[in-house]
């Protein structure tokens, strides 16, 4: 069944393109629906705008502090995704999506790479907006940790989608043939999971966790 969507060279078949494009479009519509509900129910206060602006600024600054770069885009940064996830944890999915969207636009301005309009959407717009999905766990126990993990998985899914659609030609010649079909998944999650593990370790340090709890209290009161 998998052969219906991926050809022998590891690229997508016509059916694969249709399914992945449809999946990306549906996810985008779902995100927009959630964001629309949030914005209709509650307007952002001046304090929320300040905290959101500060989070975007910190995410943007730390995105320049890179532990290492991947050859075809992507890098392990100093916990840059965490600041967008924090906004989602404080104010919910809708605000998180909008802040993630704004951050994605900044990322595009910072390091633009254009192969097509939909590739830009996958790698910048959808991927970074997806960090706002962390707000799903905003009110649950260990919500920040759960939300961060969800955000990393969601961002990686959009990067992988873009990989299948546009980046398969950049696969190394010596890459194992048996893993060709999952190359975009392995490539994108390789750096995202490394940063994710580092960030989870950092936010699990008692002093850091206590400090983040205080910041959240200031942000939501």
């Amino acid at each position: 069944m998998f052969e219906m969507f991926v050809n022998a060279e590891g690229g997508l078949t016509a059916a694969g393109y249709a399914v992945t494009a449809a999946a990306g479009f549906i996810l985008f519509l779902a995100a927009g629906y959630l964001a629309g509900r949030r914005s209709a129910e509650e307007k952002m206060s001046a304090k929320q705008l300040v905290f959101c602006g500060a989070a975007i600024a910190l995410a943007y600054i730390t995105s320049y502090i890179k532990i290492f770069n991947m050859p075809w885009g992507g890098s392990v940064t100093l916990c840059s995704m965490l600041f967008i996830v924090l906004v989602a944890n404080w104010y919910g999915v809708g605000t998180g999506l909008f802040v993630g969207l704004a951050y994605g636009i900044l990322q595009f301005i910072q390091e633009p790479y254009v192969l097509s309009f939909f590739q830009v959407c996958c790698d910048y717009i959808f991927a970074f907006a997806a960090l706002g999905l962390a707000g799903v766990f905003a009110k649950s126990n260990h919500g920040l940790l759960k939300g961060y993990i969800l955000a990393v998985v969601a961002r990686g899914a959009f990067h992988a989608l873009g990989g299948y659609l546009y980046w398969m030609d950049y696969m190394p010649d010596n890459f194992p043939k048996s893993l060709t079909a999952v190359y975009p998944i392995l490539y994108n999650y390789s750096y995202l999971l490394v940063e994710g593990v580092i960030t989870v370790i950092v936010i699990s340090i008692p002093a850091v966790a206590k400090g983040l709890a205080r910041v959240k209290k200031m942000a939501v009161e």
Side-chain angles (χ1 to χ4, degrees):
M1 182 177 180
F2 191 67
E3 289 75 14
M4 292 177 57
F5 305 105
V6 180
N7 59 35
E9 289 74 33
L12 291 180
T13 61
Y17 274 102
V19 170
T20 52
F25 184 66
I26 291 170
L27 287 171
F28 179 68
L29 289 179
Y33 173 73
L34 291 172
R37 285 190 59 187
R38 169 65 173 78
S39 61
E41 292 170 359
E42 181 181 346
K43 293 183 179 180
M44 293 181 68
S45 67
K47 182 170 74 171
Q48 288 175 330
L49 287 172
V50 169
F51 273 91
C52 289
I56 292 174
L58 288 170
Y60 189 66
I61 291 170
T62 53
S63 71
Y64 278 98
I65 306 174
K66 299 178 181 180
I67 299 174
F68 70 83
N69 286 311
M70 297 292 283
W72 304 115
S75 60
V76 176
T77 68
L78 187 62
C79 306
S80 61
M81 291 186 290
L82 173 62
F83 298 100
I84 307 304
V85 170
L86 285 174
V87 170
N89 183 254
W90 298 337
Y91 304 129
V93 173
T95 301
L97 289 172
F98 279 121
V99 169
L101 173 63
Y103 179 57
I105 293 172
L106 285 176
Q107 284 290 306
F108 178 69
I109 295 172
Q110 176 187 359
E111 292 181 312
Y113 200 101
V114 180
L115 296 176
S116 78
F117 172 75
F118 193 63
Q119 171 264 324
V120 171
C121 289
C122 286
D123 286 339
Y124 297 97
I125 305 302
F126 299 158
F128 289 102
L131 296 176
L133 295 176
V136 168
F137 296 106
K139 296 182 179 180
S140 66
N141 291 330
H142 306 293
L144 178 59
L145 177 60
K146 294 176 183 176
Y148 183 82
I149 294 171
L150 173 61
V152 171
V153 172
R155 177 185 166 184
F158 281 110
H159 285 313
L161 172 61
Y164 278 114
L165 293 174
Y166 302 104
W167 293 99
M168 292 301 290
D169 290 341
Y170 295 88
M171 183 176 61
D173 294 334
N174 60 351
F175 195 77
K177 296 295 184 181
S178 60
L179 298 177
T180 296
V182 293
Y183 172 71
I185 296 173
L186 295 177
Y187 179 93
N188 288 288
Y189 281 108
S190 65
Y191 65 89
L192 289 174
L193 291 179
V194 170
E195 180 173 335
V197 169
I198 293 172
T199 304
V200 167
I201 292 172
V202 170
I203 64 177
S204 298
I205 297 172
V208 175
K210 187 175 181 180
L212 290 176
R214 288 181 178 177
V215 173
K216 181 176 182 177
K217 185 176 180 180
M218 289 188 295
V220 301
E221 284 183 347

